[in-house]
Amino acid sequence: MNILFNEQKIHRVFDGIVECLLNEGLISSYDITKLQKHLKKKFKNNIYIINPSEEEFKNRNYEYTAYTFNISYKGSDKDTFVKEINKCLDLFGYYISTNKNNLYMIEPRRPIKINDIMKKDGIKELYHITPNSNLKKIQKIGLAPKGNETTFYHPDDRIYLVSVTELKIKSIVKMLAKNKKIKFDEFTVFKINYNDKYDYYLDDIATFKRENMIACFVLKNIPPNELEIIDIN
């Protein structure tokens, strides 16, 4: 499954933003609305916040742009403002990505936790696809974070999951089989129930909301008793 997701990465350019996101630490960026309330309280009338479109800024969106916004600075002491806002942004897991004519673009520095959004959307089941060669080990110790050894890089501290219909899973497996040049029946699909004990982080590159395909990753091992093999034949 990681291979498919990274193919999408090749076809979507984010000016290095995604690379930064994937290589940051394990602490998630805070809720964007909480950050903005904090900034308004601190800087008052010296700033004007420019959000994404109304459709994007519902805080239930699974796209990276929904967590990016601009700040227009209207004060006179620019140097002090930059110093003070950087302190706030560091605390909340954001940073200034660009600065042009007193317009500052603010973006997440770390992975975005989406537990609350997933619960609001009623996501109850997720899937993980793996070659059959991993099956015995997974049945013994569960799913453990592991990078892949293909041309397409993925960090080695994550377990990638996807929320789709079982019908859609079958088409994903077909794509993976074609990519790896192995047979369709050489893959196993695990179904995993949503569990709030895990922190789920957005994988926006592999998420296609219009296709009802939500991709994410977790950092903790998932034990065998939480995994159910499903029949996709």
Side-chain angles (χ1 to χ4, degrees):
M1 187 162 63
N2 292 351
I3 302 170
L4 170 65
F5 291 173
N6 275 289
E7 281 191 310
Q8 302 299 335
K9 176 178 176 180
I10 288 174
H11 296 296
R12 295 174 62 188
V13 179
F14 287 86
D15 296 327
I17 293 171
V18 171
E19 283 299 327
C20 175
L21 180 68
L22 292 177
N23 288 293
E24 278 296 334
L26 305 184
I27 302 173
S28 66
S29 292
Y30 281 69
D31 189 322
I32 189 173
T33 54
K34 292 180 182 178
L35 168 60
Q36 292 189 357
K37 286 179 181 178
H38 180 80
L39 294 176
K40 288 177 182 177
K41 182 178 180 180
K42 181 174 180 62
F43 297 103
K44 298 181 172 60
N45 293 330
N46 283 325
I47 64 169
Y48 177 70
I49 294 176
I50 306 168
N51 278 317
S53 69
E54 182 179 350
E55 180 64 24
E56 289 176 322
F57 194 67
K58 288 181 176 178
N59 211 26
R60 289 184 60 181
N61 199 303
Y62 297 93
E63 295 183 10
Y64 191 82
T65 52
Y67 300 88
T68 299
F69 62 98
N70 288 284
I71 288 179
S72 174
Y73 176 60
K74 298 182 286 184
S76 57
D77 192 348
K78 178 179 176 181
D79 291 339
T80 299
F81 168 71
V82 171
K83 182 179 179 180
E84 291 301 315
I85 195 173
N86 276 330
K87 290 180 182 178
C88 298
L89 296 176
D90 284 343
L91 179 65
F92 280 80
Y94 286 74
Y95 75 110
I96 298 172
S97 63
T98 61
N99 170 20
K100 186 176 182 180
N101 299 325
N102 287 337
L103 185 66
Y104 301 83
M105 180 175 284
I106 312 300
E107 298 182 1
R109 184 183 293 279
R110 305 184 181 100
I112 300 163
K113 183 178 173 181
I114 57 172
N115 287 50
D116 289 344
I117 310 175
M118 294 172 74
K119 285 189 286 188
K120 287 177 183 177
D121 282 354
I123 293 177
K124 299 184 183 301
E125 297 167 342
L126 298 133
Y127 299 92
H128 180 86
I129 304 168
T130 189
N132 291 347
S133 57
N134 297 326
L135 185 56
K136 286 186 178 180
K137 185 175 180 180
I138 291 172
Q139 288 177 320
K140 182 178 180 180
I141 67 170
L143 285 174
K146 179 183 178 183
N148 63 57
E149 299 174 354
T150 67
T151 304
F152 306 109
Y153 169 74
H154 240 110
D156 60 2
D157 58 359
R158 302 168 183 193
I159 300 169
Y160 286 85
L161 307 169
V162 62
S163 168
V164 288
T165 63
E166 287 194 14
L167 183 62
K168 179 71 71 173
I169 276 287
K170 188 171 183 177
S171 65
I172 295 174
V173 175
K174 286 180 179 178
M175 291 178 67
L176 283 172
K178 182 178 180 181
N179 181 286
K180 280 206 161 193
K181 296 181 174 58
I182 59 179
K183 295 179 180 179
F184 175 85
D185 60 7
E186 291 183 26
F187 285 95
T188 297
V189 177
F190 290 102
K191 181 166 70 174
I192 304 121
N193 291 331
Y194 174 92
N195 190 327
D196 219 25
K197 75 177 182 180
Y198 299 104
D199 290 332
Y200 298 91
Y201 298 98
L202 176 66
D203 181 5
D204 74 306
I205 300 173
T207 291
F208 298 92
K209 189 67 183 294
R210 63 186 178 186
E211 301 290 336
N212 292 317
M213 178 173 170
I214 309 303
C216 61
F217 61 88
V218 298
L219 305 173
K220 292 182 179 179
N221 288 21
I222 302 176
N225 64 308
E226 295 182 17
L227 305 174
E228 177 188 348
I229 296 176
I230 64 168
D231 183 6
I232 57 170
N233 295 312

